[in-house]
Amino acid sequence: MSHETQSSFKSFSSVLVLTLATFGSASAQTCPAATPGLTGAMAHVQYLADDRLEGRAVGSPGARCAADYIARQFSDLGLEPAGTEGNYFQPFPIRKGAELGSANRLAVSTADFTLGTDWTPFGFSASADLQGDLIFGGSGLSSPGNPEDRFARMDISGKIVVLEWGDPDAPGRPSLRGDPHFKATIAAGRDAAGVLILAPSGMGLPAMDGETRNALDIPVAIVHADRAEAFRVAAQQASRARLQTDVRETRVDARNVAALLPGSDPALRGEYVIVGAHYDHLGMGGDGSLAPDANEIHNGADDNASGTAAVVEIARALAAGPRPARSVLFLAFTGEERGLWGSAFYVAQPTIDLASAVAMLNLDMVGRVNQDALTVFGFGTAGEWNDIVDAANAGISQPLSISKAPDGYGPSDHSSFYGAGIPVLHFFSNTHADYHRPSDDWPKINADGLARVAELTVGVTRRLAAGGVDVVQLTPIQQEQRAPAAPSTSSSSSSGYGPYLGTIPDMTPRDFGLRITGVREGSPADDAGLQSGDVIVEFDGHAVADIYAYTYALRDKVPGDEVVIVVERDGERVTMRAVLAERR
């Protein structure tokens, strides 16, 4: 449904549409009621960060409840549905897991093995039916420069490679090169026909219903520990095997939430200011968590219940009047933590004409304002941003201390819109020790700071959406896209793999160096003596001008390297040594 048609809807119609969309489908579910007590933005944060929503992982029941809640807030404000099919939602399919088909078989010579007891395909396995010789590849970890590395020189082309589970250099904990998906990817790149992973003693066969990684081009299966020795022997004897896998993706709809406040000026209401935030988080942790061993709910109160709550309150302030001349589109994205899925989908399949979008304002992690400090990215995307933001900040009840950064690209949803040529601003109150951890919970939110960020954004939006003599025409500036930011620097960064130091960077721009707001307890940075407030100016001989220089210097290293770090502390330079660990 077009927005011209949607503009004829009244508030009652919006409520009816929401009710039918939420409760009239076969996939409807019972969502928890809000906890009474708090009001305004903090009430939204508390609901979205409630344990009952189980971390709002994309495609999960908790994320669906979060989307329903946001849509209900928009409806109660009288905003018009701006999704697809006449409601507030823009669904898009995502991979949620995998399931077995009927054709799965593993046989070696004349022995057949029982599916589900002796073996099972991985959820990322290709579906295939092949016969080939087994070959034993040990742990399957290649070090091509090591003359003693037999696997690196082994010809595995066309063979079914039998590999041990894990990484012997990182026993008892995850590592990139020990991950079965990684091992199988490397083997596929060396033209292996298939891969069998031998489970260690005490490990059960994994379920595949939560597998979301991309399927590989070869079949990959895991063999139970009770059968592992038989496969070692068979592989060392180059026995013939048949591996048949039938793995099918399961998919579920993820949902963006979209609502429209139509402009009051007939000549300008076809132009749009977009205000958005992502509402998803990490669920029970896992990939992306900085507490990878904690199978706990990651509530993401700051990341990004805070930004979502701010968007709802910005909508409330603008809907209360006076109504802006231009239209304002409010978007709540899902899948940001998985790689900007929701915003990328919206830009590819917009519900408005993006050519008529004036600007996009993104709020991500705005709930931990400290000492009035707020960083705003995107000043280099339009020539007029300085005057607009300064005027808006001067007009709020208690102005913020704003650090201005030029970057239009970055690891949050504004990047999707800037890539489409739309000027952007990204509001961000900085990183903290609870980022991507179970401890990011709603009592730690700075309610006053969050309210002031929302008030500032209202002011910026009003200036962008004004008409008459106050109408604003931005002059877009297109930047060259930079490389991705350092691990753990912002909302969407995954914990990843590779060298790990354990600093928490301060994202506030500086003339030179990278200030850190803290260090992870027990990390290499902690062991080396780095402290909150230190400014890293040199990393193992490389000058650190900013976070990008730090990123490049860190990524040149490998776990186990000893590095020399120079920091400025209390006006003096201090030199420390750290041994990098493996990121988990």
Side-chain angles (χ1 to χ4, degrees):
M1 181 182 293
S2 71
H3 288 293
E4 289 74 22
T5 304
Q6 289 175 0
S7 65
S8 65
F9 276 65
K10 302 300 182 183
S11 177
F12 174 77
S13 300
S14 299
V15 173
L16 178 61
V17 168
L18 173 64
T19 302
L20 293 174
T22 305
F23 301 110
S25 70
S27 60
Q29 65 188 75
T30 301
C31 294
T35 302
L38 297 176
T39 59
M42 286 303 295
H44 310 318
V45 173
Q46 184 185 41
Y47 182 84
L48 295 170
D50 193 302
D51 280 355
R52 295 173 295 175
L53 268 61
E54 296 184 330
R56 311 184 307 279
V58 59
S60 70
R64 192 168 189 87
C65 288
D68 287 347
Y69 176 86
I70 297 162
R72 186 172 290 107
Q73 299 302 313
F74 288 155
S75 175
D76 289 347
L77 294 174
L79 302 183
E80 296 181 359
T84 56
E85 301 178 4
N87 61 33
Y88 291 96
F89 304 114
Q90 183 193 41
F92 59 95
I94 62 168
R95 183 178 182 187
K96 188 60 180 173
E99 60 185 10
L100 289 176
S102 58
N104 291 279
R105 182 185 178 192
L106 177 59
V108 178
S109 299
T110 59
D112 268 277
F113 294 87
T114 304
L115 177 69
T117 302
D118 296 333
W119 75 288
T120 190
F122 281 104
F124 55 78
S125 172
S127 293
D129 186 359
L130 64 90
Q131 297 186 52
D133 294 336
L134 297 177
I135 186 171
F136 185 64
S139 63
L141 305 181
S142 292
S143 301
N146 182 355
E148 298 180 1
D149 182 2
R150 188 174 67 88
F151 184 66
R153 300 186 305 277
M154 188 180 293
D155 180 10
I156 61 175
S157 178
K159 298 186 172 105
I160 301 173
V161 187
V162 177
L163 300 175
E164 301 287 354
W165 176 274
D167 180 353
D169 295 327
R173 62 182 178 87
S175 77
L176 173 61
R177 62 182 196 156
D179 183 85
H181 189 276
F182 183 80
K183 289 186 180 187
T185 300
I186 298 299
R190 293 174 59 186
D191 296 323
V195 173
L196 297 174
I197 304 288
L198 305 181
S201 178
M203 176 180 171
L205 297 178
M208 57 174 55
D209 56 355
E211 180 59 67
T212 58
R213 290 173 291 187
N214 291 333
L216 301 182
D217 294 329
I218 61 173
V220 188
I222 182 168
V223 175
H224 194 277
D226 291 347
R227 300 295 188 184
E229 183 59 26
F231 276 84
R232 290 188 192 97
V233 173
Q236 289 164 352
Q237 296 174 348
S239 299
R240 192 79 172 165
R242 179 179 180 183
L243 176 58
Q244 184 179 14
T245 54
D246 185 0
V247 178
R248 303 171 185 180
E249 289 187 3
T250 57
R251 304 186 77 80
V252 68
D253 274 348
R255 300 187 300 172
N256 292 327
V257 187
L260 183 71
L261 179 65
S264 62
D265 187 334
L268 292 175
R269 70 164 58 111
E271 299 177 12
Y272 303 88
V273 179
I274 302 171
V275 181
H278 77 91
Y279 69 87
D280 64 304
H281 197 53
L282 301 178
M284 298 298 290
D287 185 30
S289 172
L290 290 175
D293 297 326
N295 184 29
E296 301 176 36
I297 297 171
H298 288 53
N299 279 321
D302 188 26
D303 185 14
N304 186 34
S306 67
T308 306
V311 169
V312 172
E313 291 307 298
I314 293 162
R316 185 186 309 281
L318 294 171
R323 180 163 293 206
R326 285 173 168 141
S327 297
V328 183
L329 177 69
F330 300 96
L331 296 173
F333 308 107
T334 191
E336 190 269 358
E337 299 288 3
R338 300 300 302 275
L340 315 186
W341 285 0
S343 57
F345 184 83
Y346 187 87
V347 168
Q349 302 286 337
T351 61
I352 64 167
D353 180 5
L354 284 184
S356 299
V358 175
M360 191 273 175
L361 310 179
N362 182 48
L363 296 103
D364 195 347
M365 295 179 65
V366 292
R368 302 286 283 269
V369 173
N370 184 29
Q371 297 183 335
D372 298 333
L374 180 73
T375 299
V376 182
F377 295 87
F379 278 85
T381 68
E384 297 76 18
W385 280 135
N386 271 302
D387 291 342
I388 292 171
V389 174
D390 287 349
N393 193 38
I396 70 175
S397 55
Q398 187 180 350
L400 293 155
S401 176
I402 296 177
S403 296
K404 301 174 180 179
D407 300 3
Y409 290 110
S412 191
D413 291 303
H414 60 289
S415 288
S416 298
F417 291 85
Y418 188 51
I422 299 170
V424 298
L425 290 179
H426 172 208
F427 299 83
F428 176 63
S429 63
N430 222 329
T431 52
H432 45 77
D434 301 307
Y435 167 71
H436 276 205
R437 291 174 178 266
S439 53
D440 181 12
D441 223 334
W442 72 266
K444 297 182 178 180
I445 296 297
N446 178 347
D448 174 70
L450 175 57
R452 290 161 65 196
V453 174
E455 186 182 5
L456 171 68
T457 312
V458 168
V460 172
T461 306
R462 285 203 178 280
R463 282 161 176 77
L464 292 171
V469 295
D470 296 321
V471 69
V472 171
Q473 300 294 342
L474 296 182
T475 307
I477 301 170
Q478 195 61 33
Q479 303 168 353
E480 181 178 349
Q481 187 166 2
R482 284 191 174 192
S488 306
T489 59
S490 77
S491 170
S492 65
S493 300
S494 167
S495 60
Y497 297 91
Y500 170 66
L501 181 59
T503 56
I504 303 171
D506 183 344
M507 297 295 290
T508 305
R510 300 179 55 84
D511 291 336
F512 189 86
L514 174 66
R515 183 180 181 275
I516 58 176
T517 62
V519 297
R520 307 287 181 193
E521 185 178 354
S523 68
D526 189 22
D527 293 342
L530 273 79
Q531 301 175 7
S532 174
D534 285 348
V535 178
I536 300 176
V537 295
E538 190 173 307
F539 186 92
D540 214 38
H542 298 276
V544 175
D546 53 24
I547 194 165
Y548 296 100
Y550 172 77
T551 302
Y552 303 145
L554 180 62
R555 287 181 176 173
D556 277 344
K557 301 299 179 181
V558 297
D561 282 352
E562 184 180 71
V563 296
V564 177
I565 302 170
V566 181
V567 304
E568 287 186 353
R569 179 187 296 168
D570 298 328
E572 297 183 357
R573 290 204 166 195
V574 180
T575 300
M576 286 162 280
R577 292 181 178 272
V579 178
L580 300 177
E582 179 145 22
R583 183 175 298 280
R584 296 186 293 157

